[in-house]
mmCIF file of all heavy atoms in Angstrom:
data_model
loop_
_atom_site.group_PDB
_atom_site.id
_atom_site.type_symbol
_atom_site.label_atom_id
_atom_site.label_comp_id
_atom_site.label_asym_id
_atom_site.label_seq_id
_atom_site.Cartn_x
_atom_site.Cartn_y
_atom_site.Cartn_z
ATOM 1 N N ALA C 148 -25.672 -44.112 65.679
ATOM 2 C CA ALA C 148 -26.658 -43.086 65.312
ATOM 3 C C ALA C 148 -27.020 -43.134 63.829
ATOM 4 O O ALA C 148 -28.164 -42.844 63.458
ATOM 5 C CB ALA C 148 -26.136 -41.700 65.685
ATOM 6 N N THR C 149 -26.066 -43.500 62.994
ATOM 7 C CA THR C 149 -26.330 -43.545 61.554
ATOM 8 C C THR C 149 -26.835 -44.908 61.089
ATOM 9 O O THR C 149 -27.022 -45.119 59.897
ATOM 10 C CB THR C 149 -25.062 -43.180 60.754
ATOM 11 O OG1 THR C 149 -24.008 -44.079 61.105
ATOM 12 C CG2 THR C 149 -24.626 -41.747 61.061
ATOM 13 N N VAL C 150 -27.042 -45.816 62.040
ATOM 14 C CA VAL C 150 -27.607 -47.131 61.715
ATOM 15 C C VAL C 150 -28.827 -47.336 62.621
ATOM 16 O O VAL C 150 -28.824 -48.182 63.522
ATOM 17 C CB VAL C 150 -26.585 -48.261 61.933
ATOM 18 C CG1 VAL C 150 -27.081 -49.562 61.289
ATOM 19 C CG2 VAL C 150 -25.224 -47.894 61.375
ATOM 20 N N PRO C 151 -29.870 -46.566 62.391
ATOM 21 C CA PRO C 151 -31.018 -46.611 63.305
ATOM 22 C C PRO C 151 -31.839 -47.882 63.167
ATOM 23 O O PRO C 151 -31.789 -48.571 62.141
ATOM 24 C CB PRO C 151 -31.837 -45.392 62.881
ATOM 25 C CG PRO C 151 -31.526 -45.232 61.417
ATOM 26 C CD PRO C 151 -30.069 -45.611 61.284
ATOM 27 N N ALA C 152 -32.561 -48.183 64.218
ATOM 28 C CA ALA C 152 -33.491 -49.312 64.180
ATOM 29 C C ALA C 152 -34.689 -48.957 63.314
ATOM 30 O O ALA C 152 -34.937 -47.778 63.016
ATOM 31 C CB ALA C 152 -33.946 -49.645 65.596
ATOM 32 N N ALA C 153 -35.438 -49.966 62.901
ATOM 33 C CA ALA C 153 -36.669 -49.726 62.147
ATOM 34 C C ALA C 153 -37.605 -48.862 62.988
ATOM 35 O O ALA C 153 -37.700 -49.056 64.210
ATOM 36 C CB ALA C 153 -37.344 -51.041 61.797
ATOM 37 N N PRO C 154 -38.275 -47.891 62.383
ATOM 38 C CA PRO C 154 -39.112 -46.977 63.160
ATOM 39 C C PRO C 154 -40.229 -47.660 63.942
ATOM 40 O O PRO C 154 -40.680 -47.141 64.960
ATOM 41 C CB PRO C 154 -39.668 -46.018 62.094
ATOM 42 C CG PRO C 154 -39.478 -46.717 60.782
ATOM 43 C CD PRO C 154 -38.273 -47.564 60.949
ATOM 44 N N ASN C 155 -40.667 -48.814 63.479
ATOM 45 C CA ASN C 155 -41.749 -49.535 64.170
ATOM 46 C C ASN C 155 -41.224 -50.698 65.007
ATOM 47 O O ASN C 155 -42.000 -51.590 65.386
ATOM 48 C CB ASN C 155 -42.777 -50.046 63.156
ATOM 49 C CG ASN C 155 -42.179 -51.071 62.196
ATOM 50 O OD1 ASN C 155 -40.969 -51.091 61.971
ATOM 51 N ND2 ASN C 155 -43.035 -51.903 61.623
ATOM 52 N N LEU C 156 -39.922 -50.697 65.328
ATOM 53 C CA LEU C 156 -39.340 -51.838 66.037
ATOM 54 C C LEU C 156 -39.962 -52.038 67.411
ATOM 55 O O LEU C 156 -40.266 -53.167 67.807
ATOM 56 C CB LEU C 156 -37.826 -51.671 66.174
ATOM 57 C CG LEU C 156 -37.099 -52.865 66.801
ATOM 58 C CD1 LEU C 156 -37.183 -54.078 65.882
ATOM 59 C CD2 LEU C 156 -35.641 -52.524 67.090
ATOM 60 N N ARG C 157 -40.169 -50.962 68.147
ATOM 61 C CA ARG C 157 -40.743 -51.095 69.488
ATOM 62 C C ARG C 157 -42.153 -51.696 69.414
ATOM 63 O O ARG C 157 -42.506 -52.574 70.211
ATOM 64 C CB ARG C 157 -40.785 -49.737 70.188
ATOM 65 C CG ARG C 157 -41.331 -49.807 71.618
ATOM 66 C CD ARG C 157 -41.232 -48.454 72.296
ATOM 67 N NE ARG C 157 -39.846 -48.055 72.468
ATOM 68 C CZ ARG C 157 -39.090 -48.436 73.490
ATOM 69 N NH1 ARG C 157 -39.587 -49.242 74.422
ATOM 70 N NH2 ARG C 157 -37.848 -48.023 73.594
ATOM 71 N N GLU C 158 -42.921 -51.240 68.448
ATOM 72 C CA GLU C 158 -44.275 -51.780 68.273
ATOM 73 C C GLU C 158 -44.225 -53.267 67.938
ATOM 74 O O GLU C 158 -45.001 -54.069 68.475
ATOM 75 C CB GLU C 158 -44.986 -51.006 67.153
ATOM 76 C CG GLU C 158 -46.366 -51.521 66.796
ATOM 77 C CD GLU C 158 -46.964 -50.799 65.593
ATOM 78 O OE1 GLU C 158 -46.508 -49.669 65.289
ATOM 79 O OE2 GLU C 158 -47.852 -51.377 64.955
ATOM 80 N N LEU C 159 -43.281 -53.634 67.064
ATOM 81 C CA LEU C 159 -43.145 -55.043 66.697
ATOM 82 C C LEU C 159 -42.707 -55.884 67.887
ATOM 83 O O LEU C 159 -43.172 -57.012 68.075
ATOM 84 C CB LEU C 159 -42.130 -55.186 65.557
ATOM 85 C CG LEU C 159 -42.552 -54.634 64.190
ATOM 86 C CD1 LEU C 159 -41.375 -54.676 63.222
ATOM 87 C CD2 LEU C 159 -43.731 -55.430 63.629
ATOM 88 N N MET C 160 -41.826 -55.311 68.726
ATOM 89 C CA MET C 160 -41.359 -56.042 69.900
ATOM 90 C C MET C 160 -42.488 -56.281 70.891
ATOM 91 O O MET C 160 -42.643 -57.393 71.427
ATOM 92 C CB MET C 160 -40.221 -55.289 70.586
ATOM 93 C CG MET C 160 -39.722 -55.956 71.862
ATOM 94 S SD MET C 160 -38.420 -55.033 72.707
ATOM 95 C CE MET C 160 -37.006 -55.445 71.680
#
Side-chain angles (χ1 to χ4, degrees):
T149 58
V150 193
N155 64 336
L156 185 66
R157 182 175 295 276
E158 176 185 339
L159 291 172
M160 177 182 282

